[in-house]
Amino acid sequence: MILSRAKPASGVTHTASSQPSGRKEIPKLEDFLAKRDYTGALTVLDVLDKASTSNLKTRLLFHLAHKLGDEKKLMEHHQELEDIVEDQLSLASIHYLRSHYQEAIDIYKRVLQDNREYLALNVYISLCYYKLDYYDMSQEVLTIYLQNYPDSAIAINLKACNHFRLYNGKAAESELKSLMDQSSSTFSFGHDLIRHNLVVFRGGEGALQVLPPLVDVIPEARLNLVIYYLKHDDIQEAFNLIKDLEPSVPPEYILKGVVYAAIGQENGSRENFKMAQQYFQLVGSSASECDTVPGRQCMASSYFLKRQFDDVLVYLNSIRSFFYNDDSFNFNYAQAKAATGSYKEAEEIFLLIKNEKFKDEYVYISHLARCYIMNKKPQSAWELYLKMETSSEAFSLLQLIANDCYRMGQFWYAAKSFDMLERLDPNPEYWEGKRGACVGVFQQIIAGHQSKEHLKEVIQLLRNTANSQVELIIRIMKRWAKDNRINI
């Protein structure tokens, strides 16, 4: 949501242009820089290598090395930078581009301390705080600049982005209104940015009309279009849009990991899950992200895909206060709690979820059913099954309830579930389960742990099965009922 003029390094080096006289002239460095043809600019600098060394040349080479991904050259030119304002600001900008936001802040603050008139540095500091998710601090620093330049397009946009993070889209759009009015004249360069951000602030409204033409103009446009496709369950379109993107900053790594996890879940590909886990781990273990909220979410996601749920909880517990009412967070948090046997907490967290889309998913229903059973609420699990329409998922839930209830000694609901399974599929295993559950209910009735009223219903369940063992079992139950003066 932040205006960025970053462009990839061009792979084409321009040659000297032809002149009417037939002479060829070496293009100027400024021409390549204006076109963002960094390979061409570097070539010109190589030809000018005979020129004397200067701070400007060092800074240009420093930035070009970053653009071209030449780490060796980058470090060499880093060592050549001096303790002067221009060089230090150049270093700070590289820190920012490499997501080393705190390092950039430290430099900006140091320069600003000796040069109070450099008010624009407050915008840079504010932007770094925004990238670190410190939206309150970002806004506080930004105010200093806005007091002097209230019509700044960059500052107004950043303020709107802070309000979006701190409050909601409506508050953000309100802040953007003044910029929308100005962009029709003086600030025409911000027109695309405003259109892009309005889509984000309005929860994706107009995404398919606005974002596709901006994919190569505003870096975040591609990411937000991918998010739009994910939210609308168009996983393949999201994958097509991001598969060839070489991530360079944490949000790109994170989103690529999310897409690989989603498509892996859709097609059952272990390779896709592995790719997703690697992307999450790269972000979560990086020095710049390991202590941020997104970084910890990434480590939790990495461990989740590896099914190491104790480790998942270490990270989710540390950031839960930020997501108490977030359905997506609670969905994963509850699953991790259930996987580690904390069924009481898992049930409470599952019931916090309001999103009907999540509540209709089999993963949600089956996990909540298991929590109910483990928390001695088998009737609630049975009611979840009764609400489901006939489907393979309903059959799977019935199997879960039958087996879990049997294992937990909740024989009445185990018997009902096995009886239903046997009606749907005459598998001998279901009769064996029902027989054991019915005998279990009978034993509980004898011990006084189950209502005697259930005996009549148990006998009816047994009669639903055509098996030679049925009459012997019923005869024993009836004899006990007669001896104990129970009318069945």
Side-chain angles (χ1 to χ4, degrees):
M1 295 184 291
I2 306 300
L3 183 63
S4 172
R5 298 183 183 276
K7 292 287 182 181
S10 170
V12 180
T13 301
H14 293 262
T15 58
S17 58
S18 299
Q19 301 297 320
S21 62
R23 292 183 297 105
K24 293 185 177 181
E25 294 182 359
I26 298 176
K28 295 179 180 179
L29 174 65
E30 290 77 6
D31 295 335
F32 289 113
L33 293 176
K35 295 176 183 177
R36 296 183 177 83
D37 182 352
Y38 302 111
T39 305
L42 187 59
T43 302
V44 172
L45 283 175
D46 287 341
V47 174
L48 297 171
D49 197 40
K50 297 177 182 178
S52 60
T53 301
S54 68
N55 294 113
L56 175 59
K57 180 180 176 181
T58 298
R59 290 195 296 271
L60 283 171
L61 289 172
F62 184 45
H63 277 265
L64 290 169
H66 166 73
K67 279 289 181 182
L68 297 171
D70 190 332
E71 288 292 312
K72 183 179 178 182
K73 288 287 186 183
L74 185 76
M75 291 300 107
E76 287 178 5
H77 297 307
H78 184 185
Q79 298 300 319
E80 296 169 0
L81 295 176
E82 298 179 10
D83 190 16
I84 59 175
V85 171
E86 293 83 358
D87 282 11
Q88 289 304 301
L89 291 180
S90 181
L91 176 59
S93 67
I94 291 295
H95 277 312
Y96 175 85
L97 292 171
R98 292 166 71 87
S99 302
H100 302 158
Y101 303 118
Q102 189 57 56
E103 289 86 343
I105 289 172
D106 293 340
I107 294 174
Y108 287 136
K109 283 186 173 181
R110 191 164 59 247
V111 172
L112 191 59
Q113 189 173 4
D114 297 327
N115 303 272
R116 294 293 182 184
E117 70 277 14
Y118 292 177
L119 291 175
L121 295 187
N122 290 292
V123 179
Y124 303 156
I125 295 170
S126 176
L127 185 54
C128 289
Y129 279 134
Y130 175 87
K131 292 290 190 178
L132 288 170
D133 300 333
Y134 298 145
Y135 308 117
D136 284 320
M137 296 176 68
S138 174
Q139 194 56 39
E140 184 180 337
V141 175
L142 187 64
T143 300
I144 300 172
Y145 184 79
L146 281 169
Q147 287 171 347
N148 291 272
Y149 300 98
D151 60 347
S152 166
I154 297 295
I156 291 171
N157 175 66
L158 181 51
K159 183 179 181 182
C161 293
N162 278 325
H163 277 243
F164 178 67
R165 298 296 189 182
L166 289 168
Y167 309 112
N168 51 49
K170 189 174 181 181
E173 189 173 341
S174 176
E175 290 297 329
L176 205 59
K177 190 177 186 305
S178 61
L179 184 56
M180 292 164 64
D181 296 337
Q182 297 169 25
S183 65
S184 60
S185 54
T186 312
F187 296 98
S188 58
F189 77 90
H191 179 64
D192 288 338
L193 178 66
I194 294 170
R195 293 171 64 230
H196 169 272
N197 283 1
L198 285 176
V199 169
V200 178
F201 296 161
R202 293 171 180 173
E205 181 182 324
L208 295 181
Q209 291 73 41
V210 175
L211 298 184
L214 300 180
V215 163
D216 293 320
V217 178
I218 298 175
E220 290 87 348
R222 181 184 299 273
L223 306 187
N224 284 316
L225 189 55
V226 170
I227 292 170
Y228 175 86
Y229 285 133
L230 287 174
K231 286 183 175 179
H232 289 78
D233 295 325
D234 198 340
I235 309 301
Q236 191 58 51
E237 280 297 327
F239 180 73
N240 292 341
L241 196 59
I242 205 170
K243 64 180 180 180
D244 295 324
L245 173 70
E246 286 297 329
S248 59
V249 292
E252 293 173 349
Y253 281 99
I254 293 170
L255 195 54
K256 198 154 186 178
V258 170
V259 172
Y260 270 100
I263 203 161
Q265 188 170 12
E266 192 171 79
N267 59 26
S269 168
R270 292 177 60 88
E271 187 60 32
N272 285 335
F273 280 135
K274 184 178 179 180
M275 291 291 293
Q277 186 268 323
Q278 289 174 348
Y279 281 124
F280 290 138
Q281 188 170 8
L282 276 171
V283 176
S285 60
S286 67
S288 63
E289 297 295 316
C290 62
D291 289 326
T292 66
V293 171
R296 294 187 179 195
Q297 282 182 292
C298 283
M299 284 307 295
S301 298
S302 175
Y303 282 123
F304 198 105
L305 291 172
K306 294 166 73 174
R307 305 191 66 79
Q308 295 176 213
F309 295 106
D310 285 320
D311 294 314
V312 170
L313 290 176
V314 169
Y315 287 93
L316 294 187
N317 285 332
S318 71
I319 58 174
R320 194 197 176 190
S321 60
F322 295 93
F323 299 99
Y324 187 79
N325 293 315
D326 186 288
D327 284 345
S328 296
F329 178 88
N330 284 330
F331 194 19
N332 292 323
Y333 192 41
Q335 288 180 71
K337 285 286 186 181
T340 55
S342 299
Y343 294 107
K344 187 176 186 300
E345 291 176 89
E347 178 188 331
E348 292 171 355
I349 299 165
F350 274 124
L351 295 177
L352 288 175
I353 295 172
K354 300 290 190 296
N355 191 318
E356 292 299 325
K357 180 183 174 183
F358 288 142
K359 294 168 75 171
D360 288 339
E361 289 187 17
Y362 179 71
V363 171
Y364 176 90
I365 296 170
S366 60
H367 274 80
L368 182 57
R370 173 158 287 166
C371 289
Y372 280 144
I373 294 168
M374 297 303 167
N375 294 332
K376 301 179 181 180
K377 301 175 184 176
Q379 183 175 347
S380 296
W382 179 252
E383 288 170 358
L384 284 177
Y385 163 72
L386 294 178
K387 291 177 184 176
M388 293 186 73
E389 297 180 0
T390 303
S391 64
S392 59
E393 289 183 346
F395 190 82
S396 296
L397 181 65
L398 201 56
Q399 291 177 309
L400 183 150
I401 294 172
N403 288 295
D404 278 8
C405 282
Y406 195 102
R407 197 158 47 243
M408 294 299 293
Q410 297 162 2
F411 295 119
W412 170 236
Y413 284 98
K416 286 166 65 92
S417 299
F418 277 121
D419 177 64
M420 186 64 71
L421 286 167
E422 190 183 32
R423 294 189 202 184
L424 296 170
D425 178 13
N427 187 320
E429 289 185 2
Y430 297 141
W431 155 245
E432 293 173 6
K434 184 170 82 170
R435 179 188 61 192
C438 287
V439 171
V441 176
F442 182 46
Q443 290 176 325
Q444 289 176 336
I445 291 173
I446 294 174
H449 297 151
Q450 186 65 265
S451 170
K452 295 176 182 177
E453 302 299 321
H454 280 315
L455 187 58
K456 183 177 180 180
E457 296 173 273
V458 167
I459 291 174
Q460 185 56 52
L461 290 181
L462 287 167
R463 281 179 171 156
N464 290 336
T465 303
N467 188 288
S468 58
Q469 299 174 353
V470 169
E471 288 306 317
L472 175 61
I473 297 172
I474 291 176
R475 194 179 310 130
I476 294 171
M477 290 179 175
K478 282 185 172 181
R479 186 183 306 140
W480 181 87
K482 182 178 179 182
D483 292 343
N484 289 270
R485 299 178 182 180
I486 297 173
N487 183 17
I488 57 172

